[in-house]
Amino acid sequence: MSAEHDAPPSGDVAARPRRDIVSFVRRGSRLTRSRQQAWDRSHERWVLDLPQGERDTLPAPDQRLDLERVFGRRAPLVVEIGSGQGENIAAAAAADPERDHLAFEVYVPGIAQTLMRLEQAGSPENVRILPLDALHSLPILLAPGSITEAWIFFPDPWHKSKHHKRRLVSEPLLDVLDPLLVDGAVLRCATDWAEYAGHMRRVLDADPRVENLFPDGARPTGTASDPLPEDLPREGWAPRFEGRVLTSFERKAHDAGRLVWDLAYRRQELPGTAAVAPPASTATAAPRGPENTESSRPENTGSAHPEEQP
C-alpha cells in the first residue's frame, strides 16, 4: 500500500476527538522513492501496529504492549521520545544488544528514514518503533516499572510564550514517566537552545521524584549564538552522553553557534513509597502497516519552529 493516502471522511464536529495539547505539529507524510522502498521492505519488521484510539496517534485504550512477546525476551528497556530520522536509536540498538529500544515518532518520513538506518546498522532485532504520541500513549501501553532509561534529545523548543504549554519536558511528562520508570532509571535530555535548557532545569530540579546525576557539572564550554538567560544555572549540567551519536541535526546546531546542553536525572524512590513490580503484559502488537495519516516535526528531530500553530 502506498504512503499517499486519501483524506479521512469529514464527520460531525461533535463526533471529533478531543484536542489534547501535543508537543508536535502535523506535517505531510509523503515519502520519497527510497523511503517508500525502505517502508515496503522493513516496516513489518520494526514498526508496531496497534488498534487506534480516538485519533491516529493514540492506541485504543485497552491496549497494553507485551514487551516479552514483542522483543522475544525480557531485557532492560530504553525509550526514546521523538526519535526523528533514527540516527541515534539505530546506532544505540546496534551498539547495545543487551537492551531493548522502543522509539516513539509520529513523523512518517522520519520513521521511513529510521528503517533505512536500521538496515544500514545491521538490522538489529532489539528495536521497535511506535508512530504514536508518547505523552498520551505511554500510560496506556506500558506497565509500571517497565523503563530503565528514557531519552528526549532535541525536542521542539516552542519559543513563543503562548506555545510553552506544548513543550515536551514538563510536569505532565514527569507524571506520565514516574510510575513507568524503575527505581534508579535514568532520564536523559538534550537541547541546543539555552532558554529551553533553563526551562528543563526548572522543571526537573523542582520535582522530588528525580535527582540530578551531575549536581556539580559545569556548563558546556564555548560561546553561544543564542542568548543565555540570566538565571541559567552555572552547575548541574551533564557531560555529553556518550551513547548519543553526533547526528546531522546536532552538527547543524554547532554550525549555527549554539551550545548543546545535556541533562541527566535519576528516578528515586520517595519515603513511604514502594517500587511497583511490572505485571505480566496482556497484549502484543502486530507490525504496523503503512496507514500513516499523521506526522509531526520536520526531519531535524523536533527543533522546528512551527510558530504558526495556535
Side-chain angles (χ1 to χ4, degrees):
M1 183 174 177
S2 170
E4 299 178 23
H5 315 290
D6 296 330
S10 58
D12 225 38
V13 173
R16 292 177 185 172
R18 60 186 169 84
R19 186 178 181 185
D20 292 316
I21 295 175
V22 296
S23 62
F24 54 87
V25 244
R26 293 179 174 180
R27 305 271 180 185
S29 60
R30 185 182 298 272
L31 301 180
T32 64
R33 181 177 180 182
S34 61
R35 286 174 171 172
Q36 182 66 58
Q37 290 172 341
W39 182 275
D40 294 341
R41 286 193 308 269
S42 300
H43 78 272
E44 292 186 353
R45 184 173 190 173
W46 285 303
V47 184
L48 298 180
D49 184 23
L50 297 174
Q52 290 183 359
E54 60 182 9
R55 52 186 171 87
D56 55 5
T57 54
L58 283 180
D62 62 347
Q63 293 300 299
R64 172 67 63 85
L65 279 185
D66 183 339
L67 295 173
E68 188 169 1
R69 291 185 65 185
V70 167
F71 290 103
R73 63 177 184 175
R74 285 185 178 270
L77 180 68
V78 176
V79 171
E80 182 170 18
I81 300 176
S83 55
Q85 296 191 73
E87 289 170 281
N88 191 67
I89 200 71
D96 192 357
E98 299 306 312
R99 299 202 292 184
D100 292 330
H101 298 75
L102 187 63
F104 283 82
E105 179 54 63
V106 296
Y107 179 54
V108 175
I111 296 174
Q113 187 69 36
T114 300
L115 299 178
M116 296 172 66
R117 296 189 190 283
L118 287 169
E119 291 174 342
Q120 295 163 1
S123 299
E125 293 294 340
N126 60 329
V127 60
R128 297 293 186 274
I129 306 166
L130 280 165
L132 298 174
D133 169 2
L135 180 64
H136 298 95
S137 299
L138 278 167
I140 300 171
L141 295 177
L142 295 187
S146 296
I147 302 174
T148 301
E149 201 157 311
W151 297 344
I152 304 172
F153 298 143
F154 306 102
D156 194 318
W158 293 101
H159 290 300
K160 289 186 177 181
S161 296
K162 67 179 181 178
H163 293 154
H164 285 183
K165 63 186 177 182
R166 295 181 178 273
R167 287 179 164 178
L168 179 59
V169 178
S170 61
E171 184 177 350
L173 175 71
L174 295 180
D175 291 341
V176 165
L177 286 179
D178 178 65
L180 303 180
L181 298 172
V182 300
D183 285 335
V186 176
L187 170 62
R188 300 186 186 277
C189 304
T191 180
D192 57 316
W193 292 99
E195 189 276 329
Y196 195 15
H199 165 87
M200 291 179 174
R201 284 293 303 274
R202 288 190 296 274
V203 169
L204 295 167
D205 289 348
D207 198 308
R209 296 171 293 187
V210 294
E211 61 177 342
N212 193 331
L213 286 177
F214 298 93
D216 300 320
R219 286 180 177 181
T221 58
T223 303
S225 61
D226 57 320
L228 302 186
E230 291 184 1
D231 62 347
L232 191 67
R234 292 190 172 276
E235 297 181 330
W237 304 100
R240 189 185 187 283
F241 176 43
E242 293 181 356
R244 188 179 77 245
V245 299
L246 184 63
T247 64
S248 57
F249 175 76
E250 190 171 347
R251 289 192 190 95
K252 290 178 181 178
H254 286 306
D255 291 344
R258 295 191 298 275
L259 301 177
V260 173
W261 305 81
D262 275 80
L263 300 87
Y265 286 73
R266 178 190 289 119
R267 183 195 188 272
Q268 56 183 346
E269 183 179 342
L270 297 176
T273 65
V276 181
S281 299
T282 57
T284 188
R288 182 174 175 84
E291 291 87 9
N292 307 309
T293 58
E294 180 175 324
S295 58
S296 67
R297 305 168 297 229
E299 300 181 20
N300 286 336
T301 318
S303 279
H305 307 284
E307 306 288 11
E308 75 282 356
Q309 194 73 7

